[in-house]
Amino acid sequence: MSQSTKIRVLIVDDHAIVRKGLATIINRDPEMIAIAQAEDGQQAIEVFREYQPDVTLMDLRMPKMGGVEAIMAICAEFKQARIALLTTYDGDEDIYRGLKAGAQGYLLKDSKLGELLNAIRAIHNGQKYIPPEVGAKLLQRISNPELSERELEVLRLMAQGMGNQEIGIALIIGESTVKSHVNRILSKLGVSDRTQAVITAVKRGIVNL
């Protein structure tokens, strides 16, 4: 197969060893070629513009700009962009945000090599690639009540260890208003106290510590 007819893949990850490993796996497949690499979301946008790859493998959490933000920027500029998130994170909020941003696939880094290559082929052919366990978490996320922007702000400050009074000062709202937000957060997350709320939020990818 000539180089021009191979599936051209862009690899975006902040770890050089991961990028090199993925490039080696992709280049071993006679139908694919790793044409470029980027180490953060900002660089991914620039490299995408230059190479306009057939498929992009995008890490989720990177310095400067994360994968979700990079996907949104790329898809806004290139409507036909085909992107798969390849990450170690499997929180339902991560999956939801990634696919909502425009990714066509979501793979975990512990996936088998064959699954990775099949995902690249499927996405190149215009199909979505969502493994069953990822699909189950996505379904769970869709069925969960959504936190408002203000509730997310309160939750992030809770995760930093702030009490109601400190949160009220930080957000310029009354302490009773903070309490109301906290109660709604607990209810929506299905937990009974602040500690469980933070643990659940981190596990699901709603907040990052």
Side-chain angles (χ1 to χ4, degrees):
M1 184 179 282
S2 70
Q3 190 163 317
S4 60
T5 56
K6 289 184 178 184
I7 300 170
R8 300 159 58 255
V9 182
L10 164 62
I11 299 164
V12 185
D13 197 287
D14 58 333
H15 293 102
I17 290 173
V18 173
R19 294 198 304 273
K20 189 173 180 182
L22 288 169
T24 302
I25 292 162
I26 289 163
N27 289 332
R28 277 187 191 145
D29 189 294
E31 297 177 3
M32 302 177 192
I33 183 166
I35 53 156
Q37 299 179 18
E39 62 183 26
D40 59 60
Q42 285 179 354
Q43 198 178 77
I45 297 167
E46 294 162 17
V47 175
F48 192 101
R49 282 191 191 120
E50 184 179 348
Y51 289 90
Q52 297 193 26
D54 299 317
V55 176
T56 300
L57 295 178
M58 182 80 71
D59 192 15
L60 187 65
R61 298 185 192 170
M62 298 175 287
K64 295 183 184 175
M65 181 187 283
V68 170
E69 292 75 19
I71 291 169
M72 288 171 73
I74 289 169
C75 289
E77 194 172 336
F78 300 92
K79 304 297 180 195
Q80 301 304 313
R82 289 176 176 165
I83 304 171
L85 273 165
L86 182 63
T87 175
T88 52
Y89 301 99
D90 66 347
D92 58 22
E93 192 69 22
D94 293 323
I95 298 165
Y96 176 76
R97 288 181 67 231
L99 296 174
K100 192 178 177 186
Q104 285 84 16
Y106 197 106
L107 275 166
L108 298 176
K109 284 181 181 173
D110 58 4
S111 301
K112 292 184 170 63
L113 300 187
E115 186 177 7
L116 170 65
L117 299 173
N118 287 339
I120 292 171
R121 287 190 186 89
I123 290 165
H124 180 246
N125 289 331
Q127 301 163 359
K128 286 196 180 294
Y129 194 95
I130 302 169
E133 66 275 16
V134 171
K137 291 202 172 185
L138 180 62
L139 199 63
Q140 183 185 356
R141 165 59 182 81
I142 291 166
S143 64
N144 282 331
E146 192 141 1
L147 296 174
S148 69
E149 282 302 316
R150 178 61 93 188
E151 286 162 2
L152 284 170
E153 287 175 336
V154 171
L155 183 55
R156 288 185 192 113
L157 296 177
M158 282 166 59
Q160 290 173 27
M162 285 191 187
N164 289 351
Q165 191 176 7
E166 292 171 298
I167 293 171
I169 292 166
L171 298 179
I172 319 171
I173 55 177
E175 195 174 342
S176 60
T177 306
V178 175
K179 281 181 184 172
S180 298
H181 286 311
V182 171
N183 287 334
R184 279 199 295 274
I185 290 164
L186 299 184
S187 173
K188 287 182 178 182
L189 294 180
V191 297
S192 57
D193 62 50
R194 299 167 75 101
T195 304
Q196 285 180 322
V198 172
I199 292 168
T200 300
V202 170
K203 199 173 171 184
R204 285 180 50 191
I206 298 170
V207 297
N208 305 318
L209 292 179

